[in-house]
Amino acid sequence: MSQTSKAETYHASIALIGDSTIDNVVWTRSLDGCVAHQLKAQLDAKRNIPSSPSVLIHNLAADGFTSDDVLKGKRPAISFNTRENLGDPFPFTTISEGHKGVPIFKPLACLKRLDPKPDVCVVSIGGNDVREILGSPMITMDLPAAVDKFQVNYPLILKEITSTCKKVVIMLQYRPEFATDEVYYGVYRGIANAYGADEPSPTLVNGLMETVYAPVVDLARKLSLPIIDLPNTFDIHDSSMYISQIEPSAEGGELIAELIAHVIENHPWKHSVLYSKPPQSSTVNAVVNQEGINWRVTL
């Protein structure tokens, strides 16, 4: 999808970096349902482009990646074979000595190698930083450590991205589905355990997200970058948006693609703006991320 030479004509070049909030093809089981392809379809439709080459989408997201993995690289084990088989392989994968042919994917290094260079880069990462420690018997200590690491890594990721692409869209990740918590990952139960609460509660997850994302919102303001506010977009009680509690379904991916396309087409790139589309709303909300704003999950 992203292997296009300079000689070909294209209308826009978009790079996507992150985890399964973008690289959800394993869960939708088709390219048509995944975020990257839905984004391309929506942008092509908005620009009334009848045929390829049109909008280039460089899918540098990898299902299961943490913020550490984005910085350092890792084998994209979850979606590697599926993407290969569906004709959307990871670009620039390398064979690491000692790994016996296991490909290592380094999204930030790949970003620098893209030709043509992307006009816009979208980044969505962080959920797996917390998911990895949910079952830990030491979660009361491991959760603050995971949050600290994410908050250290995020500015480093943005610094690397902006050295190649100045227009970066920050995507705050949605809350998991609530009703299936006991069936799948137990995100709400794990957070409740971390805080010593008796029962899982969306309120605890809301508070954690507000803590985790506070410096990200501040950084976006300083860099005048737009923010896609998925915590105030996804309805945690709408099962049609999710697969296996934490993955975006085709419907969820369509909503994500819609917001990304809206920001790419409408953001003025003069100041930071928070974009959301609350449940039942037919329009995208835009709120200037001004000094003193107190970002909260309000759904």
Side-chain angles (χ1 to χ4, degrees):
M1 182 166 53
S2 63
Q3 282 72 25
T4 301
S5 70
K6 282 185 175 180
E8 293 182 273
T9 302
Y10 67 97
H11 293 262
S13 175
I14 315 297
L16 308 175
I17 290 179
D19 53 26
S20 63
T21 53
I22 295 173
D23 182 30
N24 62 329
V25 69
V26 167
W27 308 97
T28 62
R29 300 183 181 182
S30 74
L31 290 180
D32 290 341
C34 75
V35 172
H37 282 252
Q38 294 200 73
L39 175 60
K40 175 176 169 55
Q42 291 192 31
L43 287 173
D44 283 353
K46 285 176 180 292
R47 298 176 184 220
N48 195 28
I49 299 169
S51 62
S52 183
S54 51
V55 175
L56 298 181
I57 303 295
H58 307 280
N59 188 4
L60 308 183
D63 191 349
F65 268 32
T66 65
S67 60
D68 255 1
D69 299 333
V70 168
L71 280 171
K72 302 171 185 177
K74 186 180 178 180
R75 181 176 186 264
I78 298 174
S79 59
F80 184 82
N81 289 333
T82 300
R83 286 180 56 173
E84 285 277 330
N85 293 337
L86 291 176
D88 183 25
F90 285 90
F92 311 123
T93 47
T94 60
I95 304 302
S96 178
E97 185 177 354
H99 283 76
K100 298 182 180 179
V102 175
I104 304 298
F105 180 59
K106 298 182 178 182
L108 298 178
C110 290
L111 180 68
K112 297 179 185 302
R113 294 177 61 183
L114 292 179
D115 184 16
K117 295 296 183 185
D119 302 299
V120 179
C121 183
V122 181
V123 58
S124 176
I125 197 70
N128 290 312
D129 292 52
V130 173
R131 178 192 57 77
E132 286 191 336
I133 53 91
L134 284 175
S136 169
M138 306 293 291
I139 193 170
T140 54
M141 292 186 292
D142 290 344
L143 180 59
V147 171
D148 288 345
K149 179 177 282 190
F150 169 80
Q151 291 178 336
V152 168
N153 285 347
Y154 207 91
L156 299 177
I157 291 170
L158 282 186
K159 183 178 180 180
E160 285 294 310
I161 292 174
T162 54
S163 69
T164 297
C165 178
K166 299 302 181 185
K167 293 182 176 180
V168 181
V169 179
I170 292 173
M171 193 156 79
L172 307 185
Q173 298 193 332
Y174 51 78
R175 297 172 298 165
E177 184 184 8
F178 186 68
T180 56
D181 195 59
E182 299 297 331
V183 178
Y184 292 108
Y185 290 90
V187 177
Y188 293 91
R189 168 59 66 186
I191 301 306
N193 291 341
Y195 287 113
D198 292 332
E199 296 295 331
S201 167
T203 302
L204 293 175
V205 172
N206 295 353
L208 175 62
M209 284 190 147
E210 290 161 4
T211 298
V212 169
Y213 283 136
V216 174
V217 173
D218 288 344
L219 184 58
R221 182 186 311 114
K222 292 173 184 175
L223 299 177
S224 298
L225 300 178
I227 297 173
I228 294 175
D229 185 357
L230 293 184
N232 284 307
T233 296
F234 268 51
D235 181 355
I236 64 173
H237 304 292
D238 182 356
S239 62
S240 70
M241 294 289 104
Y242 301 89
I243 297 175
S244 300
Q245 190 190 17
I246 64 172
E247 316 297 348
S249 65
E251 291 82 359
E254 182 180 17
L255 180 55
I256 292 171
E258 178 187 349
L259 281 165
I260 296 173
H262 178 88
V263 173
I264 290 172
E265 293 294 281
N266 295 283
H267 184 66
W269 298 105
K270 295 178 181 179
H271 48 256
S272 181
V273 177
L274 286 148
Y275 294 92
S276 63
K277 189 179 181 184
Q280 315 308 321
S281 175
S282 60
T283 58
V284 175
N285 292 345
V287 177
V288 175
N289 181 18
Q290 58 191 358
E291 191 70 35
I293 195 171
N294 192 20
W295 179 78
R296 290 287 182 264
V297 182
T298 58
L299 293 183

